Amino acid sequence: MEEVVIIGIPVSSWVMIAAVFLGPIAAVQIQKFLESRKEETQNRIKVFKDLMTTRASTLAYQHVSALNMVGLEFRGKQFSKVISAWNIYLDHLNSYPDDEELGKVWVDKSNDLLSDLLYEMGISLGFEFDKVHIKKAGYIPKGYADAENEQIYIRKATIEVLEGKRPLPLDIVQMPFDQEAVDAQKELLRALAAHYAEGKPFPVIVVNEES
């Protein structure tokens, strides 16, 4: 059977030419694809690590920044549980109660939901973590915790003052002392007392504005 010829070149030769040119191109495309997948995985791991390392300090900029990146980095059906846990956690964060007692319950619930989110993220990335370990193993120095609590209190108290719900406490520790002014005040009081005691009239000078 005679081989088909295209533009004077047999098909078998065209196949060889295509393999020579498309082989390197395909290899480059595959390499780019693998590098892209690797970068996406590294980005997800960074978000996960940032949230893990700051899970005991949720007001830290690093924590908030990583939390906002979850929806961007964990896309796709394979991360549906992560996104679901993330949405539930965000919804809870945006519903802080005004009541102080309910606030304590809110904080406990926040810790549980954050643990759920970190657990689902860890599973999706191939890490083996227990929810209890995630919740209890976080460490923050007492000084950091105190500073964070103080910032929350100061912010709330300032807002209440600006809204007129809380008075601004003032305490005068020491007034400026002027001995000359004190002496003049005493002299005036003595003169007034003398006039009242002796029944003396107060001298009055009438000024004629037309003169």
Side-chain angles (χ1 to χ4, degrees):
M1 183 175 183
E2 187 177 350
E3 186 174 9
V4 178
V5 178
I6 302 175
I7 317 179
I9 301 174
V11 171
S12 60
S13 297
W14 280 112
V15 172
M16 292 297 295
I17 294 172
V20 169
F21 284 97
L22 293 180
I25 295 175
V28 170
Q29 294 300 320
I30 292 173
Q31 180 65 25
K32 288 184 177 179
F33 173 77
L34 294 176
E35 289 178 354
S36 176
R37 291 291 298 271
K38 181 179 179 181
E39 182 180 358
E40 290 176 355
T41 300
Q42 289 176 339
N43 290 341
R44 295 186 189 106
I45 291 175
K46 184 180 185 306
V47 171
F48 175 65
K49 287 183 175 180
D50 285 347
L51 289 176
M52 282 290 289
T53 55
T54 58
R55 66 187 185 278
S57 181
T58 55
L59 292 183
Y61 173 80
Q62 182 184 4
H63 183 89
V64 177
S65 178
L67 187 62
N68 287 324
M69 291 296 291
V70 172
L72 177 64
E73 299 295 347
F74 288 80
R75 302 185 305 273
K77 292 182 179 180
Q78 68 271 37
F79 301 114
S80 59
K81 290 185 178 180
V82 173
I83 296 302
S84 177
W86 178 64
N87 285 328
I88 294 173
Y89 182 46
L90 288 185
D91 183 67
H92 177 74
L93 291 180
N94 291 319
S95 61
Y96 186 84
D98 295 329
D99 186 84
E100 185 175 350
E101 290 300 321
L102 292 177
K104 295 178 181 179
V105 177
W106 181 89
V107 170
D108 291 337
K109 183 65 174 178
S110 296
N111 294 334
D112 291 337
L113 293 178
L114 177 58
S115 298
D116 292 342
L117 172 60
L118 292 174
Y119 175 78
E120 294 298 344
M121 292 175 70
I123 292 298
S124 71
L125 295 172
F127 295 101
E128 294 292 337
F129 284 109
D130 181 80
K131 287 186 179 181
V132 176
H133 172 79
I134 293 175
K135 184 176 180 180
K136 299 296 184 181
Y139 168 71
I140 181 173
K142 185 177 183 300
Y144 286 4
D146 291 344
E148 186 172 301
N149 291 333
E150 288 168 358
Q151 289 177 7
I152 295 174
Y153 175 79
I154 292 172
R155 184 172 64 252
K156 291 177 61 179
T158 301
I159 292 174
E160 289 177 356
V161 169
L162 295 176
E163 291 179 344
K165 298 178 181 180
R166 176 195 293 260
L168 183 64
L170 295 175
D171 187 10
I172 300 176
V173 178
Q174 183 177 358
M175 291 289 292
F177 183 76
D178 187 342
Q179 185 61 49
E180 184 177 348
V182 173
D183 292 341
Q185 185 70 18
K186 289 181 179 179
E187 185 63 29
L188 176 61
L189 291 175
R190 281 197 293 268
L192 289 174
H195 272 280
Y196 283 120
E198 298 175 7
K200 294 181 179 181
F202 288 96
V204 178
I205 299 176
V206 179
V207 178
N208 187 353
E209 295 182 353
E210 296 179 357
S211 59

